[in-house]
Every structure is written in C-alpha cells, then in structure tokens.
Amino acid sequence: MTISGKATLEVTPQSLRYAKPFMPMFLKRLRAVQVGVGKSFFVGPESVSSWWSAKEHRFSDIRVLDPDPDPKFIAAILANVRASFPALADIEVDEAWGAYVDSTPDAVPVISPIEGIGGYYLAAGCSGHGFGVGPGIGFLAAELIANDKPSVDPHPYRLSRWSDGTRIEVGAL
Ligand SMILES: Cc1cc2nc3c(=O)[nH]c(=O)nc-3n(C[C@H](O)[C@H](O)[C@H](O)COP(=O)(O)OP(=O)(O)OC[C@H]3O[C@@H](n4cnc5c(N)ncnc54)[C@H](O)[C@@H]3O)c2cc1C
C-alpha cells in the first residue's frame, strides 16, 4: 500500500548546488512535495561530508537508499485504507518502508555516451518511471554501446542537453 502524489523533498548541499536547473521541475511538483532536511544532508552521496571528502569509496558506501518512512504518510495511508475498506478497519501496520525517487531536471532519462570519457555510457535518471521504461532504456543503451543503428532517436536522451544551451522543458510526470 502506498500514497500517490505525496513526497518529501530532502534538501541537501548537492541539491542546493544544482537547484537552478531543477527549479522548473520543483515548481511543477510543488503541491505534491513537502520540503525538509533529513539525514541525507549529513550522510551519503549528497551530504556535506561527501562533498568535501577525498575518500575513494564515498559514493559507494551507501548502495541502497531507503530513508525512514514518514509516520505522517503511514498514518494517512492507513486512514485511507480503513475508510475505503471498512472490513479492514482493525488492521495494523506490520512493516513500513521508505524510498527515494530519482529525477532529472526534465523528468527524461539520460541514455548517452559521456563525451570526453571514451567507452563510458550512462543509462539513469528514470524519474519515477523506471519500472515502465527500464526495458526500453536498457535496449537503447545496448544499441548505443554496440554501435548498432538505434531503434529510436537517442537525441532527446543525450547528457549534453544540460550544457548545450537547450531550454529545459519538464516532461510528463
Ligand atoms: C516507492 C516507489 C514507487 C515507484 N513506482 C513506480 C511505478 O509505479 N512505475 C514506474 O515505472 N517506476 C516506479 N518507480 C521508479 C522505479 O523504481 C525506478 O525508476 C527504477 O527502479 C530505477 O532503476 P535504476 O536501475 O535506474 O536504479 P535502481 O533500481 O535504484 O538500481 C540501482 C542499483 O544499483 C545498486 N548500487 C548502488 N550503488 C552501487 C555501487 N556503488 N556499486 C554497485 N551497485 C550499486 C543499488 O543497490 C541498486 O540495486 C518507483 C520508485 C519508488 C521508490
């Protein structure tokens, strides 16, 4: 069970650093998010400690991003279920789980070779649609890596769209 259209945006040093390109996305999602500061400000890949650290494995120390679930959201989910299914009025929460949803500035994934680093390809930034579009992302990434003729135009998915002056337009959320 989950709740749709509700989330917390955790402010981190890295998110402040890159806030400008994410602003159109933030404004579009404003009603769905509450803004807060959590553990991620101090620990993990987006944190102050990581930013200034020269530690070799600082981006791989935390491999699973599972933040503590917000008790307010859990209570709201439970209230929704009890109201919608009166027969379940007595159920209790046995286990709760939280997660991060990644996002690019335009909600479109990056499926792209990285200019300047030969042989390095990026397929990431599913922006909350990775279950659905993951197979397509993998297929296009494989075609690019194998230097096959791509079955769809890879241009909209290039990484350089954020550095070549292209205007950022937020895609479907
Ligand atoms: C609550 C929730 C609901 C969602 N609902 C939907 C939905 O309804 N439909 C939809 O299409 N999408 C949905 N998504 C989004 C979807 O789950 C993601 O877009 C997708 O899983 C992203 O895939 P990924 O491979 O890019 O990243 P991930 O699935 O995050 O995979 C990254 C993997 O890399 C591993 N890893 C991390 N660091 C390292 C390291 N240093 N070395 C080796 N491995 C490492 C991680 O453990 C992880 O297994 C939802 C996401 C959440 C959190």
Side-chain angles (χ1 to χ4, degrees):
M1 287 182 259
T2 185
I3 195 161
S4 181
K6 292 268 175 229
T8 301
L9 172 68
E10 283 196 1
V11 177
T12 64
Q14 285 288 53
S15 68
L16 294 173
R17 187 181 186 188
Y18 294 108
K20 194 174 167 200
F22 281 93
M23 204 45 80
M25 164 73 73
F26 176 67
L27 293 174
K28 198 162 181 179
R29 289 194 152 171
L30 199 54
R31 273 204 227 149
V33 294
Q34 59 176 34
V35 180
V37 173
K39 274 190 285 191
S40 58
F41 195 93
F42 307 99
V43 185
E46 300 267 306
S47 66
V48 188
S49 54
S50 172
W51 196 350
W52 296 113
S53 170
K55 202 174 145 212
E56 197 183 329
H57 300 292
R58 66 190 187 281
F59 295 118
S60 55
D61 282 348
I62 300 177
R63 293 186 175 200
V64 178
L65 299 171
D66 51 354
D68 296 335
D70 187 324
K72 277 205 303 296
F73 289 153
I74 303 299
I77 292 167
L78 201 52
N80 281 349
V81 172
R82 285 175 173 153
S84 304
F85 303 98
L88 301 180
D90 296 330
I91 61 166
E92 298 293 336
V93 175
D94 186 45
E95 193 181 344
W97 170 79
Y100 286 105
V101 174
D102 64 339
S103 180
T104 58
D106 55 6
V108 175
V110 173
I111 312 161
S112 173
I114 306 302
E115 280 166 32
I117 309 179
Y120 185 50
Y121 291 78
L122 195 58
C126 301
S127 307
H129 301 297
F131 288 142
V133 296
I137 291 175
F139 198 79
L140 178 58
E143 287 175 330
L144 295 177
I145 292 165
N147 211 16
D148 289 347
K149 186 174 182 294
S151 41
V152 294
D153 179 8
H155 191 71
Y157 309 107
R158 72 201 184 284
L159 180 67
S160 61
R161 66 188 188 266
W162 293 304
S163 55
D164 63 9
T166 304
R167 191 171 178 274
I168 294 172
E169 285 183 35
V170 181
L173 300 172

